[in-house]
Amino acid sequence: MTGSVDPFIGTGVTQLPPRSGLAATWWWPKPQIGNTHPGATFPLGMVSACAYSGGYPTGYGPFDLSLDGVPVRLHEGQLASGFTHFQQSGTGAIRKYYNYFRVTPMVEPLDVLGRTWELSDEQAEPGWYSASLDSGITAELTVGPKSAVHRYTFPKHKNARIVIDFSLGGLSIPYGATVPLRAHIECLEPGVACGQITAEGVPLSVYIECDTPQWRQMLWYDRRLMPGGTRLDFDHIRPTTLRTFGLMWAGPSEQGETIELRIGFSLRGVEQAQKNLYADSPHSNSAHSGSAPAANRFTARRALTQEAWGSLVDAITVVTPSADRQTIFSTALYHSLIKPCLAPSESPFWPTPGPFAFDISTMWDIYRTQLPLLTALMPERAVELAAALLTICEEEGNFPIGYRMARGSDRFSRQGSALAHTFLADLCQLGLPGIDWDWALIHMSDDLRRTYGEEFLLRGEAHPISHTLDLAFGYWCTAKVAEHLGDTTLVTQFTALAARWPNAFDPELGLLKDSTFYEGSRHNYSFRLTHDMPGRIALSGGPERYMAQLDTFFGYGADPVQQMGQAPGAAEVLAGYNLGRFEGLNNEPDMDVPWAYHYVGRPDRTAEIVHNVLHQQFGTGRGGLPGNDDSGGLSSWFVWASLGLFPVAGQNMFLVNAPSFLESSMKVGRHTFTIRTRGFTEPVPGGPVQYVQAAEFNGEPLTRTWLRATELHRGGELVVELGPEPSDWGTVELPSQANLSHISSHP
């Protein structure tokens, strides 16, 4: 169903119909834009390619830096100064924005390099992007796992050119540019060149082929040609003295003539970049002259990438008469599987081969929904990512919270602690092969004692106070791995430390203690799904008071709120946080909380909230996302919630809710998990909620509101009977009973 995917969803300011009911009471603290891009991508691939305007944060689009409210436009329309490589997907202020090796097709003099052209006839599908520039040139982009292929169609002109700028990187917003520290370019033969830039601590090498036998190939510096030059070297570039430099092909073009440019990338040198190009390029030989025709190369690469995307987008099928709903779902699935970037044997930081990953941006955004989706659909790649995380920990001393291709001291540790432990615990409990769990246990244990972990061990809590919950759960997850290995001593030790979670709470309020909170308030963090939900509910004073707190948090009985506009002031932002309200999937800190009602026997409330999110907070078109997609964090939530499931990350559990499709089917590894409904009514925005009346799993009654992840991963059939009113289903067998064997409470 790749034809149903619209990569433009999320590239513009949020434009959804006016919210009503519960959805109108939720407050959006983060920018009202998805921050996605429509460029060519490969599933979990190292390389992407897209039109470049310099806009925030992907390099695509017309927007300035925004941290909250409605983003401000830098210009009207869609503009581009060329086409760059390596983009973030859905993130906000990630501070490393890539956009290296800008390729600019031109029919103007080199002097105007850097100007923008208006884009028209933009088209995109998974693995392919196309646009026409107002110069009369049409651009097409596709990518492989470690390469990019460009195809440009020129008008008739006596002096057409393709220019690669090695000096450009980052964004065109203030302080957004990235300047390489070192650079090297070399012309190897007509139509073939190579080079390397070192930018933000990373050596990024390229091997380039351009099918322009009749055009001249030249180096340039400071927009001046260097006829006869075959090599440029820069040993130390200062931002204050930077002059642009790069490579160019120029010559006459006929009307409709196409030129193909192919670039292999590597973090381990030019020779590896060449190997990557040939591995990715259909019909390529080890010699440029023996390659297949250019048109066949682009078309074949595009077809392979489309096939790769097709196998994943088709891995989950849904039945709906609505083309719009199909598009929203398929695009959410697509956006969920762009990141992280898996780049085997590409680490520039250590010499050994093996798994390597970057653009884990960030674990805080993806560990609850995107990583469980990756594990379900691509278990081998999930194990590869886990091995990469373990290697990073072994080589650098910590599991990352955020990890980018570019180096930098800001590794996002303030967002959370021990989030990789959740992912690893899930893989361990699923019994997926390929991980040395003795090795993993050592690093999981050691990592818990670093950064905020020292304060947790010494004082029983850590601030920001949400880290106390993270670390306690990290110990619980690590105890699961120790249990798998039969280490009862560590199980006892870690279970006692996991029981420190109540230290994070004010027992009088039943909420977290006063502290600082990342992109939220104490309310957004107080209701997360912990490993001891009976204890958590008791801490609030019992089920009735806990549910009353949840009702207030979700806005039952509350008046609608006014969302922020452009450039909101500090007082307006603070007033919004003081509401203590659900963020409505505009952000991630409370994305699991709708399912907290399951633990007090009220799955009907979950159904109401999830219904309002699915059908009022997501839509079609460029403005179809309620907030930053954050490497698929929001989109993967939408996928799971639409299926009527929610993964309780780290706990080997999926909570069951009313599906939003008549029928769906998911390929889980080598198995198939099917969800069917009875009494289903096609939902509409603002329409009635459907409630679970009864359920069956593999032909047997399912009176509990959860499935083990191991059950889902074995495949099977879940049948959910729906109706217009709440029922007594899920009011007796509560999901908290699943974890009772590992719970005790010792402050």
Side-chain angles (χ1 to χ4, degrees):
M1 299 292 291
T2 57
S4 297
V5 174
D6 179 7
F8 290 100
I9 287 180
T11 62
V13 171
T14 302
Q15 290 185 318
L16 297 167
R19 266 72 69 200
S20 62
L22 274 181
T25 71
W26 303 334
W27 183 70
W28 293 350
K30 296 295 292 177
Q32 297 163 36
I33 186 171
N35 281 352
T36 58
H37 70 81
T41 63
F42 189 89
L44 307 181
M46 175 174 161
V47 180
S48 59
C50 192
Y52 179 79
S53 66
Y56 176 85
T58 64
Y60 173 85
F63 299 105
D64 199 356
L65 170 69
S66 59
L67 300 178
D68 39 42
V70 177
V72 174
R73 281 181 170 266
L74 294 169
H75 53 77
E76 294 300 317
Q78 298 294 337
L79 306 177
S81 62
F83 303 88
T84 53
H85 309 88
F86 301 94
Q87 286 81 22
Q88 298 287 352
S89 179
T91 57
I94 204 74
R95 291 179 289 282
K96 306 292 182 182
Y97 301 106
Y98 307 154
N99 285 288
Y100 303 128
F101 300 104
R102 181 182 62 189
V103 179
T104 304
M106 303 172 65
V107 290
E108 296 87 356
L110 185 61
D111 286 342
V112 306
L113 182 69
R115 62 150 291 186
T116 57
W117 291 268
E118 186 175 346
L119 297 177
S120 63
D121 193 26
E122 280 191 286
Q123 301 176 61
E125 62 186 39
W128 177 77
Y129 171 84
S130 176
S132 295
L133 285 68
D134 62 11
S135 61
I137 299 170
T138 296
E140 295 178 87
L141 310 174
T142 192
V143 297
K146 297 182 180 182
S147 67
V149 187
H150 300 233
R151 184 164 66 187
Y152 298 108
T153 303
F154 283 85
K156 183 177 178 62
H157 200 277
K158 65 180 180 180
N159 196 15
R161 64 190 77 219
I162 291 176
V163 183
I164 305 179
D165 188 344
F166 278 59
S167 64
L168 180 136
L171 306 176
S172 59
I173 63 172
Y175 311 107
T178 298
V179 176
L181 177 63
R182 290 178 290 276
H184 160 74
I185 314 173
E186 185 175 1
C187 294
L188 301 177
E189 61 178 280
V192 184
C194 66
Q196 182 184 86
I197 61 169
T198 299
E200 298 181 311
V202 175
L204 181 57
S205 298
V206 290
Y207 184 85
I208 306 168
E209 295 180 348
C210 188
D211 292 322
T212 56
Q214 77 281 24
W215 286 13
R216 296 174 296 155
Q217 176 175 305
M218 292 169 285
L219 300 174
W220 58 272
Y221 175 74
D222 197 18
R223 295 185 176 84
R224 295 294 179 265
L225 299 178
M226 302 178 63
T230 61
R231 183 180 177 115
L232 271 175
D233 286 286
F234 300 89
D235 294 332
H236 192 276
I237 301 171
R238 293 184 177 181
T240 54
T241 58
L242 173 69
R243 300 292 184 270
T244 56
F245 57 89
L247 176 66
M248 183 182 76
W249 290 269
S253 62
E254 297 298 324
Q255 180 66 37
E257 181 176 357
T258 61
I259 302 296
E260 182 176 297
L261 178 75
R262 297 176 296 279
I263 309 176
F265 297 91
S266 179
L267 301 172
R268 286 192 170 180
V270 166
E271 183 178 347
Q272 186 60 47
Q274 181 183 14
K275 291 178 181 177
N276 291 344
L277 176 61
Y278 291 152
D280 280 5
S281 297
H283 315 305
S284 278
N285 300 320
S286 58
H288 173 61
S289 59
S291 301
N296 292 342
R297 217 88 60 79
F298 183 93
T299 302
R301 179 64 263 171
R302 176 184 173 186
L304 286 173
T305 300
Q306 185 177 44
E307 181 182 359
W309 273 117
S311 66
L312 287 172
V313 175
D314 291 344
I316 304 180
T317 60
V318 297
V319 175
T320 176
S322 169
D324 283 352
R325 294 192 65 219
Q326 179 69 68
T327 293
I328 296 167
F329 182 85
S330 296
T331 305
L333 183 53
Y334 164 74
H335 278 147
S336 298
L337 299 173
I338 294 174
K339 303 287 184 176
C341 297
L342 299 185
S345 300
E346 286 287 347
S347 171
F349 312 125
W350 50 84
T352 52
F356 179 65
F358 60 87
D359 283 359
I360 303 167
S361 304
T362 65
M363 289 292 288
W364 185 80
D365 301 294
I366 66 175
Y367 81 102
R368 280 176 287 200
T369 53
Q370 195 262 359
L371 293 183
L373 185 62
L374 171 61
T375 303
L377 299 182
M378 308 168 74
E380 296 85 358
R381 305 309 299 275
V383 169
E384 180 183 342
L385 175 60
L389 289 169
L390 285 162
T391 302
I392 291 169
C393 187
E394 183 174 61
E395 292 282 349
E396 301 189 5
N398 286 86
F399 284 116
I401 300 299
Y403 198 83
R404 302 155 304 194
M405 180 172 66
R407 302 292 271 178
S409 59
D410 49 341
R411 292 298 179 88
F412 308 100
S413 60
R414 67 192 179 104
Q415 290 184 326
S417 294
L419 304 184
H421 298 60
T422 302
F423 179 43
L424 291 165
D426 271 335
L427 299 184
C428 183
Q429 292 171 89
L430 286 170
L432 294 179
I435 297 175
D436 181 341
W437 288 110
D438 288 293
W439 177 50
L441 180 60
I442 291 169
H443 292 299
M444 293 173 74
S445 175
D446 288 349
D447 185 75
L448 286 165
R449 289 162 169 77
R450 298 181 178 123
T451 317
Y452 298 95
E454 293 179 336
E455 185 181 2
F456 179 84
L457 286 173
L458 288 173
R459 298 187 173 93
E461 64 182 70
H463 286 265
I465 200 66
S466 59
H467 288 258
T468 301
L469 297 181
D470 292 336
L471 289 161
F473 188 53
Y475 277 108
W476 190 89
C477 290
T478 307
K480 285 293 184 182
V481 176
E483 180 181 61
H484 170 75
L485 294 172
D487 192 329
T488 56
T489 300
L490 284 182
V491 170
T492 301
Q493 177 186 339
F494 292 160
T495 301
L497 290 168
R500 289 183 172 186
W501 66 266
N503 296 348
F505 285 87
D506 182 331
E508 295 298 319
L509 296 176
L511 300 172
L512 288 174
K513 293 177 180 177
D514 189 28
S515 187
T516 59
F517 296 93
Y518 185 82
E519 296 183 353
S521 68
R522 71 167 72 188
H523 297 85
N524 302 109
Y525 285 85
S526 286
F527 302 108
R528 64 191 291 178
L529 305 184
T530 73
H531 53 286
D532 181 6
M533 287 302 290
R536 169 64 189 93
I537 293 164
L539 193 145
S540 275
E544 290 187 8
R545 184 165 182 246
Y546 181 74
M547 183 175 161
Q549 288 179 319
L550 286 177
D551 284 351
T552 300
F553 176 68
F554 283 107
Y556 280 93
D559 294 329
V561 302
Q562 180 69 40
Q563 303 298 348
M564 295 184 289
Q566 288 188 343
E572 183 179 1
V573 175
L574 181 60
Y577 278 120
N578 286 339
L579 290 171
R581 196 66 52 76
F582 180 49
E583 294 186 0
L585 269 291
N586 169 258
N587 201 18
E588 287 82 7
D590 49 15
M591 66 195 312
D592 57 338
V593 179
W595 280 267
Y597 284 104
H598 274 51
Y599 294 84
V600 289
R602 292 297 304 271
D604 56 305
R605 285 285 206 243
T606 300
E608 291 162 2
I609 295 159
V610 171
H611 174 86
N612 278 277
V613 176
L614 289 177
H615 304 296
Q616 297 200 61
Q617 306 286 85
F618 291 81
T620 57
R622 291 178 183 260
L625 289 179
N628 295 175
D629 196 45
D630 287 328
S631 297
L634 296 192
S635 286
S636 54
W637 186 99
F638 183 91
V639 170
W640 285 121
S642 296
L643 300 177
L645 298 169
F646 189 79
V648 186
Q651 298 189 40
N652 188 34
M653 183 189 298
F654 282 87
L655 300 176
V656 178
N657 182 42
S660 72
F661 292 106
L662 173 68
E663 184 177 321
S664 60
S665 181
M666 175 192 301
K667 295 178 181 177
V668 186
R670 298 182 178 89
H671 304 285
T672 300
F673 187 83
T674 301
I675 303 168
R676 306 186 195 279
T677 61
R678 299 186 187 124
F680 178 85
T681 301
E682 185 72 15
V684 294
V689 179
Q690 298 180 81
Y691 300 93
V692 179
Q693 307 296 305
E696 297 175 3
F697 181 57
N698 290 338
E700 298 293 329
L702 182 73
T703 55
R704 53 188 164 98
T705 55
W706 77 93
L707 294 172
R708 285 294 186 188
T710 43
E711 293 176 313
L712 184 144
H713 278 251
R714 285 195 294 264
E717 181 181 70
L718 175 66
V719 179
V720 182
E721 183 179 338
L722 301 172
E725 299 293 337
S727 72
D728 61 0
W729 180 83
T731 60
V732 178
E733 291 187 61
L734 306 182
S736 53
Q737 297 168 6
N739 289 334
L740 286 177
S741 62
H742 279 282
I743 290 175
S744 60
S745 291
H746 308 300

